[in-house]
Amino acid sequence: MSVNFILVTISYLSSLIANVIVLLGAVSLFTWLEKETERNFIARHRNLVLCAMGISFIVLAYGEAWTNGHSSSNLIGFHWTYLNVVIVAVYNLLLRVKTKWILALTLVLTAAWMLATRPLAVVTAGMYAKLVFVMVLECGVYRFADQIQKTAAMYFVDFTIFSAGCLWLGPNLYTQQSLDAWARQIIALVVLEFAVFWYGRTLYRQNIKLEQFRHDAEFDDLTGVHSFGVFNRDLLRLFNTFKTDQQAYSLYALDVDHFKHINDTYGHLAGNEVLKAISHEIDCVVTHVEYQTRLYRTGGEEFTVILQAIKPDAKRAEEISREIQRAINQLRFTFDGQDVRVTISLGAANVLPDDANYLDSYKRADQFLYTSKRSGRNAITLRGRTLARDVS
């Protein structure tokens, strides 16, 4: 076994392993950026962040290739050019980033890649034609990204065409390769793309499972509204915000009157139907008010609405409470041949500067709710004052 063969093998395998690790790391970061929701800047400017990350990665690969070409005298094969890494990165970026900036910047970098690699004096018309062909392929990948990603077969067929165009241009920019070097080049390209495809699909499936787990934790299965856990988290966040910028919020605690009687008389399926209908009516009302609102199921038959960034307007609070009450009062159910009507009791409270704990406002709303219960049910108590019954 010759020293040259050993040198080539070590160089080839080490660069292949390093490229796989780098690409998989980039896929991990890219996938995280696609799904990140906690950081407001990323959530608001996601495509810009993804575009910047992807283009930076390609520029890094070009920079490494240029550095290697000008600092090494013993260049073996094309793997020193990072050509395979660039092909895989550009192809997947064009598929996954939904902004025209990624296409425009990729086209600019592709043209710069050729013009920076070969002196203009030796750039032929044929090389320009190949460059245009590669750029057309890039436009096609971006334009038909959704269709390409529908099946694995379509994905790899298109990748084969795209990579063939890039490899067709490659020899015009770098020293010619031997047949053995071409074989190593293509094998490495296949390994890199399969690694990126498999790893990307694995992360995608994991994200789907995580999203399902998150949905199950954040939403009530029966009514589809937010769960108590989300309510607790949101209330703590709003309380902390209130302490810093005095952005007030209000809580409306609602409970279905005589719900146990409905369950005991007509069964739990009837009770479930009532809860679903009531949550739907409440949500329809509060989503049309001028404030940002969220509805939560905070107990068996208890719901809570949070209205954010409110103005201290007692009249408007009464109007909203009345709208909710009337919407519920208009519901009609038929169980076992009998017409059934339901009502709710409601208690509302605002956050106060003297509140020492984020649960204080919720405790007041809950106390006012039970004031409504003790007042004969189907009643509304706002900030300690029980309203006259609505006779409309």
Side-chain angles (χ1 to χ4, degrees):
M1 186 178 295
S2 66
V3 174
N4 186 61
F5 177 80
I6 295 174
L7 177 63
V8 170
T9 301
I10 293 174
S11 174
Y12 175 72
L13 291 178
S14 61
S15 65
L16 177 58
I17 293 171
N19 288 344
V20 169
I21 294 173
V22 169
L23 278 171
L24 296 189
V27 171
S28 296
L29 176 58
F30 195 88
T31 303
W32 174 76
L33 290 172
E34 282 183 320
K35 299 297 181 181
E36 173 59 25
T37 58
E38 297 297 325
R39 290 160 179 80
N40 290 332
F41 180 83
I42 295 176
R44 289 198 307 268
H45 308 287
R46 193 178 308 280
N47 281 335
L48 175 63
V49 173
L50 292 173
C51 183
M53 181 260 179
I55 294 301
S56 297
F57 184 82
I58 295 172
V59 170
L60 175 64
Y62 283 150
E64 286 292 321
W66 187 90
T67 302
N68 288 342
H70 287 78
S71 62
S72 302
S73 57
N74 188 22
L75 301 172
I76 303 171
F78 273 5
H79 53 268
W80 64 268
T81 67
Y82 291 84
L83 180 58
N84 284 342
V85 172
V86 171
I87 292 173
V88 172
V90 168
Y91 181 71
N92 285 280
L93 281 172
L94 290 171
L95 289 179
R96 295 177 65 171
V97 180
K98 307 301 183 182
T99 173
K100 292 181 180 179
W101 278 106
I102 195 69
L103 176 61
L105 291 172
T106 300
L107 294 175
V108 169
L109 286 176
T110 302
W113 168 47
M114 187 186 81
L115 299 177
T117 305
R118 304 296 289 173
L120 289 178
V122 299
V123 177
T124 64
M127 292 171 63
Y128 277 118
K130 291 180 181 179
L131 174 64
V132 171
F133 178 69
V134 170
M135 296 172 76
V136 169
L137 289 177
E138 290 173 339
C139 293
V141 172
Y142 177 82
R143 171 63 178 81
F144 299 103
D146 291 338
Q147 293 90 324
I148 291 170
Q149 295 181 90
K150 283 184 177 179
T151 64
M154 182 65 72
Y155 176 92
F156 282 107
V157 167
D158 195 74
F159 176 76
T160 300
I161 298 171
F162 178 76
S163 58
C166 296
L167 293 176
W168 186 36
L169 176 61
N172 292 117
L173 307 182
Y174 305 112
T175 304
Q176 293 288 341
Q177 294 198 106
S178 65
L179 291 178
D180 289 343
W182 268 115
R184 293 194 299 272
Q185 178 83 23
I186 293 173
I187 291 172
L189 178 60
V190 171
V191 169
L192 291 177
E193 180 54 28
F194 266 100
V196 167
F197 177 79
W198 169 80
Y199 188 60
R201 285 296 177 94
T202 300
L203 292 180
Y204 175 75
R205 294 190 184 100
Q206 288 179 342
N207 281 331
I208 290 178
K209 291 180 181 178
L210 289 174
E211 287 296 324
Q212 185 61 51
F213 293 152
R214 179 181 297 177
H215 183 276
D216 293 343
E218 294 186 350
F219 292 89
D220 175 57
D221 286 341
L222 176 64
T223 62
V225 303
H226 293 284
S227 66
F228 183 84
V230 177
F231 168 75
N232 191 69
R233 185 189 67 199
D234 287 351
L235 192 58
L236 176 59
R237 174 180 54 83
L238 289 170
F239 180 74
N240 291 334
T241 301
F242 173 73
K243 286 298 184 181
T244 57
D245 64 11
Q246 302 302 304
Q247 189 176 80
Y249 56 90
S250 182
L251 286 82
Y252 289 32
L254 310 97
D255 190 89
V256 183
D257 297 326
H258 303 296
F259 183 73
K260 185 177 184 303
H261 174 74
I262 295 175
N263 266 342
D264 293 343
T265 306
Y266 306 107
H268 289 284
L269 292 179
N272 290 345
E273 184 178 338
V274 169
L275 292 176
K276 288 189 287 187
I278 286 177
S279 63
H280 175 74
E281 291 300 320
I282 297 171
D283 196 48
C284 286
V285 172
V286 300
T287 53
H288 289 89
V289 303
E290 65 273 25
Y291 305 117
Q292 183 179 348
T293 62
R294 261 193 175 185
L295 172 62
Y296 311 83
R297 186 181 180 189
T298 46
E301 64 270 20
E302 185 175 326
F303 299 89
T304 303
V305 179
I306 296 181
L307 282 69
Q308 302 180 32
I310 64 166
K311 297 177 181 178
D313 186 344
K315 181 180 178 181
R316 183 60 181 134
E318 179 177 343
E319 290 172 351
I320 294 172
S321 301
R322 296 287 194 192
E323 287 178 31
I324 295 173
Q325 185 184 54
R326 289 167 186 157
I328 302 304
N329 288 347
Q330 290 172 4
L331 288 173
R332 299 291 184 273
F333 302 93
T334 301
F335 302 127
D336 297 339
Q338 298 185 39
D339 293 334
V340 177
R341 298 178 61 182
V342 293
T343 60
I344 59 167
S345 297
L346 186 150
N350 292 353
V351 64
L352 299 176
D354 293 337
D355 286 348
N357 186 281
Y358 75 102
L359 292 173
D360 287 347
S361 57
Y362 179 51
K363 291 176 182 177
R364 283 195 302 278
D366 199 51
Q367 290 171 357
F368 299 155
L369 165 62
Y370 282 94
T371 298
S372 294
K373 291 279 190 182
R374 289 191 296 269
S375 299
R377 294 183 171 83
N378 192 23
I380 297 171
T381 302
L382 300 181
R383 306 168 197 172
R385 181 176 65 91
T386 302
L387 305 181
R389 295 196 181 276
D390 187 0
V391 295
S392 61

